[in-house]
Amino acid sequence: MVHPHEHSHSPKTYNRAFLIGTSLNVSFVLVEAWFGVITHSLALLADAGHNLSDVLGLLLAWAASYLVQRPPSRKYTYGLRRSSILAALLNAILLLLTMGGITWEAIRRLQEPSPIAGDTVILVAGIGVVINTITALLFMSGREGDMNIRGAFLHMAADALVSVGVVLAGIAILLTGWLWFDPVISLAIVVIIVVGTWNLFKDSLELILDGVPKQIEPIAVRTFLQELQGVTQVHDLHIWAISTAETALTAHLVIPEGYTGDRFLTDTCEALHTHFGIDHSTLQIETGNPDYPCPLEPESHL
């Protein structure tokens, strides 16, 4: 007998944070591009293009945040929750590509040093530090529980760090005249950002491939189910993410005495949610009758 049980939790929305963050960053891109034109600064124009990619990252995360709230349909029985995992993966790829572009430019500037636009660059980059820090703080509270929000946070935090590097490099160059400060600081910042972004990329890729979310230990879940009263065997256990904030589980429980009632299922699903953060559990009860063996019983099926 199959008994589906799920906890329907309305995910926390970050619409206000996305609206404020996107508005601030679009405004900053326009201001930075304008200053780049009037000061003939290629560096500022390039950074404006880089910041435009951050706006795209925010829009990706915002769209996914909206899609996960769409109700299930006949075709998409879990709704569009998985779009948040896809957005996190795309955000990680976008950020890694951006860091690759900065690395390429930094290496070029090491070979062919070029002056920066002095005080203007430092001023505009300082504004960028403030705007991107504010935007990152808007998503800080959700970065641990939702990988999609984590992607938005990393994007903004990374850009704030890049802007800090521009400010420090600008000050150092004005004081010493050493043009290599700019590319060297940029490369150091790229290394820091890539380390954090690689984890986001790896984690989101694992979820796309239906890997067990890293905060859940499958052996602990199996042990918990095996130790339930009356259960003699657990097989066909699967744990996967249906969104960046929700986890599902299916399992076959062998109970020789047979189905013990809805209370057993309700209590088990509540415990899975409380102890492991699993939101959607589906448990199939079997008696282990050798005349009707379960085709999914071999351990090769987990």
Side-chain angles (χ1 to χ4, degrees):
M1 175 171 54
V2 179
H3 183 90
H5 186 91
E6 73 175 56
H7 297 262
S8 296
H9 300 284
S10 298
K12 181 178 179 181
T13 61
Y14 285 82
N15 289 334
R16 184 168 175 269
F18 280 117
L19 178 61
I20 294 173
T22 303
S23 299
L24 286 174
N25 280 272
V26 168
S27 299
F28 179 57
V29 167
L30 294 175
V31 169
E32 192 171 30
W34 170 252
F35 272 102
V37 171
I38 64 176
T39 61
H40 305 288
S41 171
L42 183 59
L44 282 178
L45 288 173
D47 196 49
H50 160 63
N51 286 321
L52 190 59
S53 73
D54 292 323
V55 173
L56 177 59
L58 278 176
L59 292 175
L60 274 173
W62 193 357
S65 181
Y66 167 75
L67 290 175
V68 297
Q69 300 173 57
R70 301 284 294 173
S73 65
R74 291 181 180 179
K75 184 174 183 179
Y76 300 102
T77 55
Y78 273 124
L80 297 175
R81 291 178 172 89
R82 211 169 181 82
S83 60
S84 61
I85 303 176
L86 181 59
L89 179 61
L90 291 176
N91 248 327
I93 293 173
L94 182 61
L95 194 49
L96 288 172
L97 289 175
T98 300
M99 291 304 103
I102 292 177
T103 300
W104 179 273
E105 178 64 16
I107 293 174
R108 189 190 68 79
R109 290 193 181 189
L110 277 173
Q111 297 171 340
E112 302 175 13
S114 58
I116 65 173
D119 296 339
T120 301
V121 172
I122 294 172
L123 174 62
V124 175
I127 296 172
V129 172
V130 174
I131 288 177
N132 288 300
T133 299
I134 291 173
T135 307
L137 290 174
L138 292 173
F139 299 104
M140 180 175 283
S141 64
R143 74 187 191 283
E144 296 298 334
D146 189 330
M147 193 181 296
N148 182 43
I149 300 302
R150 178 178 156 204
F153 170 80
L154 279 177
H155 232 114
M156 294 301 101
D159 208 51
L161 197 57
V162 170
S163 295
V164 168
V166 173
V167 171
L168 294 177
I171 293 173
I173 291 172
L174 287 178
L175 292 176
T176 65
W178 296 340
L179 298 179
W180 54 264
F181 263 117
D182 183 35
V184 168
I185 290 178
S186 296
L187 288 173
I189 291 172
V190 164
V191 171
I192 296 172
I193 294 172
V194 166
V195 169
T197 305
W198 180 255
N199 289 330
L200 175 65
F201 172 77
K202 181 170 63 69
D203 292 345
S204 55
L205 183 61
E206 288 175 355
L207 295 190
I208 282 285
L209 297 175
D210 285 336
V212 178
K214 67 176 184 178
Q215 73 273 14
I216 297 176
E217 175 49 63
I219 295 178
V221 175
R222 175 181 288 276
T223 300
F224 167 79
L225 293 173
Q226 287 176 333
E227 292 178 348
L228 292 172
Q229 185 175 358
V231 175
T232 60
Q233 185 187 11
V234 176
H235 58 263
D236 199 38
L237 172 63
H238 299 279
I239 306 169
W240 74 99
I242 57 177
S243 78
T244 51
E246 297 173 279
T247 304
L249 171 148
T250 61
H252 293 200
L253 307 182
V254 178
I255 303 178
E257 290 77 12
Y259 180 53
T260 57
D262 288 353
R263 181 174 180 178
F264 170 81
L265 291 172
T266 298
D267 290 347
T268 301
C269 291
E270 289 287 353
L272 287 169
H273 175 71
T274 301
H275 298 304
F276 302 102
I278 296 173
D279 306 280
H280 301 258
S281 296
T282 302
L283 302 174
Q284 176 167 310
I285 307 300
E286 301 170 0
T287 62
N289 188 332
D291 294 330
Y292 304 99
C294 175
L296 299 176
E297 183 178 345
E299 284 303 305
S300 61
H301 291 83
L302 298 183

